[in-house]
Amino acid sequence: MSQMPEPRLMCSITEEACCGTNPDDCDDDQIIVSSTHVQSPEHKQRMAFGIPEAAEYYRKLFQETLVMLREKVEAAKSLLAEEQERMVIIQEEEQRFEEMIKAEYRTRLLLLTEEMELQSLRLPTCKFDLGLRRANQNQLMKFSSDLMQKSQEMIQRLRHLGRVNVSKLKASEAWVCDHLCSLQKIIMELEKKCGEPAITLIQNAKCYLKRSESALLQSLEPAQITDLSSCQIIGMSNALPMLQRHVTLDPDTAHPFLVLSKDLRSVGFRDTPKSVPDTPGTFDFSASVLGAESFNSGRHYWEVSVGQATQWQLGICDCTEKENSMLGASGDKVMLTGCMMGGEYTFWVFPPLRKLCLKKRMYKVGVFLDFGYKQVSFYDVTEGSLIYSFTDLTFRGAVKPVFSLCVPNGNTSSDSLTLSLPQTHS
């Protein structure tokens, strides 16, 4: 039998077994310690335990709780690292989106200037010509001022969102750090408690468990930030259709699974493509074909209907070392990818691989290449908005348009892409 405590000690244990000097932290469901046993009213049967048995019971509870607390610590460390990484990423994204905004409005101004210069050159040389030219110059200055204002407003909004996001991430990081310290402190206390003698271990036991439970119930959630792509640039330059090229597909570069239309403007899969490994959750975009035209200078634009495809890629490829050969994975490519997964659309750009905050299905995509400025931009033609723009690219030589479809996993696919004919201009 357990050794009977002294009367003075028995009284002390009876009063403090649950909460010690902090009775307000616990409820009335106390552990009553008598001279021979501990009684736990939290069990319906009100089982009586001897002090050693009660100590062993709580020691096991502490050890189980320690396992969960350590797991929570690892989760908190992981979240802290993720929030710190997101901080770096959103700052990089802010800079990248600002460059995109500047590049887009620079392109619009450049195209507008060139278009108005061409209009001026078409004017007849007469004494009324000077007035028309001045009017054009004044109009150009006004358009330039408007574009500059829109660009600045967009950049200010972008920077505001960036500051708000950074503030949220810093607050989240601070909270996770505090929570992590709290968890580590509780772990140290429980580890110390587990090594105490039985009569000391059961004192305040329930309060330690309640503190642990409260810490474990704290939810670890990342900060909710606003995706910077919400600063989407609406509208497209009216001069882009003037740059639209008659792009066709090069049958010599088509993947064996693909079949081209007679006019070389559409690409789809053959009726019975060769069997391929069925790997759920993966996308193989090796079914590609290049455009027949190559570009090594100037500005060029083409449009592709993607509404009949669920997984597709569009972009350009550096074909310096791949002339008249089938496109491989090693080609230097700049790509926009659209995928339907589980009924929802996701969009990615490469390089590097980035997911865009766009979910609405696209039906026609415009691709703009400015070889001189080393820029490639993608537009949602239907919505009339910029999707994404790459700037400061490196071209080793001539580039070609590239079109890819996702190889079906063992089934036939009705996916297809179709190049649009250039608009006629009077």
Side-chain angles (χ1 to χ4, degrees):
M1 293 181 63
S2 303
Q3 184 179 357
M4 182 179 294
E6 298 178 8
R8 180 167 50 82
L9 178 60
M10 180 182 67
C11 178
S12 174
I13 296 174
T14 304
E15 293 174 353
E16 299 179 3
C18 173
C19 297
T21 58
N22 296 288
D24 293 336
D25 294 341
C26 301
D27 54 28
D28 295 331
D29 185 16
Q30 298 186 358
I31 301 167
I32 302 171
V33 182
S34 72
S35 59
T36 58
H37 65 268
V38 177
Q39 188 173 353
S40 177
E42 67 185 292
H43 295 81
K44 296 297 183 181
Q45 63 272 35
R46 300 178 68 86
M47 293 180 60
F49 297 101
I51 290 177
E53 289 82 0
E56 186 61 27
Y57 167 75
Y58 278 109
R59 183 176 281 108
K60 287 182 179 179
L61 281 181
F62 289 158
Q63 290 170 347
E64 292 171 2
T65 303
L66 279 168
V67 171
M68 293 185 287
L69 286 169
R70 291 179 183 125
E71 290 176 352
K72 193 72 178 279
V73 163
E74 293 306 312
K77 287 180 178 179
S78 177
L79 178 59
L80 182 60
E82 289 173 4
E83 296 294 75
Q84 291 169 342
E85 183 180 359
R86 289 172 76 198
M87 181 84 72
V88 175
I89 290 173
I90 66 164
Q91 289 172 337
E92 292 176 349
E93 281 187 346
E94 182 181 341
Q95 182 180 356
R96 187 167 59 250
F97 272 93
E98 186 167 330
E99 291 172 355
M100 282 174 49
I101 292 170
K102 291 178 179 178
E104 175 63 16
Y105 283 104
R106 179 198 66 203
T107 298
R108 292 187 185 187
L109 180 58
L110 190 62
L111 294 178
L112 178 63
T113 302
E114 291 181 354
E115 182 182 8
M116 298 191 76
E117 286 177 351
L118 286 174
Q119 290 177 358
S120 296
L121 290 174
R122 297 191 189 106
L123 292 173
T125 55
C126 61
K127 59 181 180 181
F128 304 107
D129 185 28
L130 290 176
L132 291 172
R133 290 181 187 277
R134 281 199 200 93
N136 277 349
Q137 288 176 352
N138 292 336
Q139 189 178 17
L140 179 60
M141 289 178 64
K142 182 179 183 304
F143 285 153
S144 175
S145 177
D146 290 344
L147 285 173
M148 181 63 71
Q149 183 179 349
K150 289 180 180 178
S151 173
Q152 291 302 317
E153 289 174 353
M154 187 70 73
I155 290 173
Q156 288 174 8
R157 183 187 172 200
L158 177 72
R159 290 175 179 173
H160 172 72
L161 284 179
R163 288 192 297 270
V164 171
N165 284 343
V166 167
S167 177
K168 288 180 179 179
L169 286 171
K170 283 183 177 178
S172 175
E173 183 180 337
W175 183 89
V176 175
C177 283
D178 289 343
H179 186 57
L180 189 56
C181 291
S182 177
L183 289 169
Q184 291 170 333
K185 182 179 178 181
I186 293 172
I187 287 174
M188 290 177 62
E189 291 174 349
L190 283 187
E191 287 175 340
K192 181 181 178 182
K193 196 72 175 170
C194 285
E196 292 178 348
I199 198 68
T200 309
L201 184 145
I202 61 176
Q203 293 181 9
N204 308 325
K206 198 167 186 181
C207 283
Y208 280 97
L209 291 175
K210 279 185 172 292
R211 283 187 59 201
S212 301
E213 180 183 10
S214 177
L216 289 169
L217 289 175
Q218 291 287 335
S219 179
L220 289 174
E221 297 290 342
Q224 298 298 313
I225 61 175
T226 304
D227 195 289
L228 296 181
S229 59
S230 61
C231 294
Q232 191 176 21
I233 301 175
I234 305 299
M236 295 171 58
S237 172
N238 294 328
L240 284 177
M242 304 291 293
L243 300 171
Q244 190 168 353
R245 309 304 178 204
H246 187 274
V247 176
T248 56
L249 305 172
D250 183 357
D252 293 333
T253 64
H255 190 279
F257 289 179
L258 299 178
V259 59
L260 309 184
S261 61
K262 289 183 180 180
D263 60 4
L264 300 179
R265 292 195 307 111
S266 296
V267 57
F269 285 104
R270 299 183 183 277
D271 293 336
T272 54
K274 296 178 182 178
S275 60
V276 294
D278 188 359
T279 311
T282 62
F283 297 95
D284 177 6
F285 285 100
S286 62
S288 302
V289 59
L290 297 179
E293 294 72 23
S294 61
F295 308 109
N296 58 10
S297 63
R299 301 184 188 92
H300 313 275
Y301 177 74
W302 57 95
E303 294 179 352
V304 186
S305 295
V306 298
Q308 298 302 315
T310 54
Q311 283 93 27
W312 49 266
Q313 281 187 337
L314 301 175
I316 63 161
C317 177
D318 184 343
C319 299
T320 306
E321 300 174 0
K322 297 183 175 294
E323 198 69 32
N324 296 324
S325 64
M326 188 172 70
L327 179 65
S330 61
D332 294 333
K333 295 178 284 187
V334 176
M335 307 294 288
L336 168 69
T337 300
C339 293
M340 186 175 73
M341 302 173 65
E344 292 187 355
Y345 278 87
T346 58
F347 299 93
W348 307 75
V349 290
F350 173 87
L353 187 64
R354 297 189 187 100
K355 186 177 181 180
L356 303 180
C357 186
L358 299 171
K359 295 183 179 179
K360 190 173 182 179
R361 183 173 185 174
M362 297 180 191
Y363 294 90
K364 183 177 284 189
V365 174
V367 184
F368 172 66
L369 165 67
D370 188 328
F371 199 94
Y373 277 98
K374 310 301 181 186
Q375 176 182 339
V376 174
S377 301
F378 297 96
Y379 297 89
D380 184 339
V381 178
T382 307
E383 295 294 321
S385 60
L386 177 69
I387 299 170
Y388 198 86
S389 183
F390 292 89
T391 57
D392 298 324
L393 296 170
T394 300
F395 300 141
R396 295 181 299 172
V399 298
K400 286 189 172 186
V402 59
F403 314 87
S404 301
L405 292 170
C406 182
V407 176
N409 284 325
N411 300 315
T412 58
S413 172
S414 60
D415 282 6
S416 65
L417 301 172
T418 302
L419 280 153
S420 302
L421 288 170
Q423 299 178 23
T424 56
H425 306 283
S426 55

